[in-house]
Amino acid sequence: MSLTTGLTAIVDGQTPPFAFGNFDYWCAKAPLPLCSLVSSAANPATTEALCFGRNIEFTSSSGAYLLFEPATLFIQLVSLMMALIMIYYIRTKYTAVGRKEIVMFFYMYCATTVLDFLLVGGIIPPDSAAYKYLTALHAGLLVSTFWSLMYNGIVGFQWTEDGTPTSLWTLRLSTLGVLLVTFTVAILTFLNLGGLSSSAPTGLFILYLIFPAIFIIVYLALQITLVVTTLDDRWPLGDLIFSFVFFVIGLVLEFVVGPEICELATHYVDGMFFGNVGTLLGVMLVYKFWDSITKEDLEFAVSGKANVWETRNPLLNDDEQSIMGTPNGIKNDSW
């Protein structure tokens, strides 16, 4: 039996079966922030991951402190820096279509990453009074980030003029609504209030896992339709497809083979590290896709980026186009 096969057999023997409506399977694969707050009635002790990255201990005069998932925290810092760089470049494209809408998605991604950093790293300990509320907020930010991405898929169809108060406030209010609904369901689940229970978190399961998947699928369908029906260039589809592929690979490495990776890497990294890498690559390619399908008006662009535009009058044939393009309207074959 190979090492990989042996580890797989060991880990799979301890992994709870997948069941719709509870987080046992997911929490056994990766140490999600909410795992210490939810468990099924049948498996109340399966909220801890089977394998997780090594911790770093800090000592001071006031005591010893543990920093959890250091490798994951490192890639989250990289993710935050890359997101800020992308936000900067988006903001310099002053006349780009959907600029204000897409930057909202990156702001949401940054906020989710920062809070995930604090919760996953144990900087906010699970036994603190604020942990449940911040974890509920993290769930709300996560789901609303995917919602804002899907909304950006609608912007390209110009249901209303992008960048206008109508478009921006629709995005802001709907995103806030998704965040508040998810936060409310999460905190009521954690506190076992309002008919919701941490031992049967079906509502939170649907919001946390099913809705983001739906938002991504809708975004992909809308953007593929947009490229196919309105653009002559098909190359942006490559950015879109690879974005989805990297994201899915990250999920597979985190939630399918995460414990096996952790064991093979002797706990230096685990599936959560690769999940964050896959998400970062996916987000970067979302920016690349948006940038590749976005044009700036050269008359008003002040970003300093050199662009070459070819304008063609569909009422003129090729010879007339070449004549119009030469000085004084004189056709010159050497041009």
Side-chain angles (χ1 to χ4, degrees):
M1 180 183 292
S2 67
L3 176 61
T4 304
T5 304
L7 289 174
T8 302
I10 293 172
V11 173
D12 284 347
Q14 301 174 351
T15 302
F18 172 82
F20 184 87
N22 72 64
F23 291 90
D24 292 347
Y25 172 85
W26 308 95
C27 291
K29 295 291 187 178
L32 301 175
L34 54 71
C35 285
S36 62
L37 303 173
V38 292
S39 63
S40 73
N43 299 289
T46 55
T47 56
E48 186 173 294
L50 298 175
C51 184
F52 42 84
R54 294 173 183 264
N55 305 324
I56 297 178
E57 183 176 358
F58 295 94
T59 57
S60 65
S61 57
S62 58
Y65 302 93
L66 287 177
L67 186 66
F68 299 98
E69 298 287 338
T72 299
L73 298 186
F74 171 77
I75 199 62
Q76 286 179 341
L77 288 176
V78 173
S79 300
L80 187 60
M81 289 188 292
M82 294 303 300
L84 293 175
I85 291 172
M86 289 183 281
I87 288 172
Y88 169 77
Y89 280 109
I90 291 170
R91 291 176 63 87
T92 61
K93 295 171 71 71
Y94 292 93
T95 61
V97 175
R99 177 180 70 96
K100 294 181 179 180
E101 286 82 359
I102 193 68
V103 81
M104 177 75 173
F105 163 71
F106 285 95
Y107 284 140
M108 296 296 295
Y109 174 69
C110 286
T112 305
T113 302
V114 170
L115 194 50
D116 197 49
F117 181 94
L118 298 175
L119 295 171
V120 170
I123 299 172
I124 301 174
D127 59 352
S128 66
Y131 188 84
K132 290 182 179 179
Y133 295 92
L134 292 177
T135 302
L137 178 60
H138 174 265
L141 285 171
L142 178 69
V143 178
S144 56
T145 298
F146 285 103
W147 165 262
S148 65
L149 177 65
M150 189 192 75
Y151 183 92
N152 275 276
I154 304 173
V155 169
F157 291 90
Q158 295 290 292
W159 71 274
T160 186
E161 188 71 21
D162 64 278
T164 60
T166 300
S167 178
L168 293 176
W169 280 107
T170 300
L171 171 60
R172 291 165 183 166
L173 292 177
S174 62
T175 301
L176 179 61
V178 173
L179 190 155
L180 290 177
V181 169
T182 307
F183 172 83
T184 302
V185 172
I187 194 61
L188 291 178
T189 299
F190 300 154
L191 297 175
N192 296 299
L193 297 174
L196 300 176
S197 172
S198 60
S199 62
T202 305
L204 181 58
F205 180 92
I206 294 172
L207 285 172
Y208 194 85
L209 297 176
I210 305 302
F211 274 37
I214 293 173
F215 295 154
I216 289 177
I217 292 171
V218 172
Y219 172 77
L220 284 172
L222 290 173
Q223 296 303 85
I224 291 172
T225 302
L226 180 68
V227 172
V228 171
T229 59
T230 64
L231 300 181
D232 293 330
D233 188 7
R234 298 290 184 265
W235 284 106
L237 287 177
D239 298 324
L240 187 66
I241 293 172
F242 276 109
S243 173
F244 178 72
V245 168
F246 280 125
F247 180 71
V248 171
I249 290 175
L251 292 179
V252 170
L253 293 177
E254 182 171 2
F255 293 110
V256 178
V257 295
E260 291 87 340
I261 292 174
C262 180
E263 293 288 350
L264 290 172
T266 60
H267 294 255
Y268 282 103
V269 295
D270 59 7
M272 181 172 279
F273 170 83
F274 292 102
N276 278 270
V277 172
T279 299
L280 172 60
L281 294 175
V283 169
M284 291 174 66
L285 283 167
V286 165
Y287 166 77
K288 181 66 170 59
F289 169 76
W290 175 83
D291 185 61
S292 66
I293 66 172
T294 302
K295 303 292 185 181
E296 283 192 283
D297 187 339
L298 290 182
E299 182 179 355
F300 300 102
V302 293
S303 64
K305 181 180 178 180
N307 293 299
V308 178
W309 295 81
E310 179 184 3
T311 59
R312 296 183 66 86
N313 188 335
L315 301 179
L316 300 178
N317 58 34
D318 291 340
D319 290 337
E320 291 171 327
Q321 289 277 356
S322 61
I323 292 173
M324 292 293 291
T326 56
N328 301 321
I330 301 174
K331 183 179 181 180
N332 187 344
D333 291 337
S334 64
W335 278 61

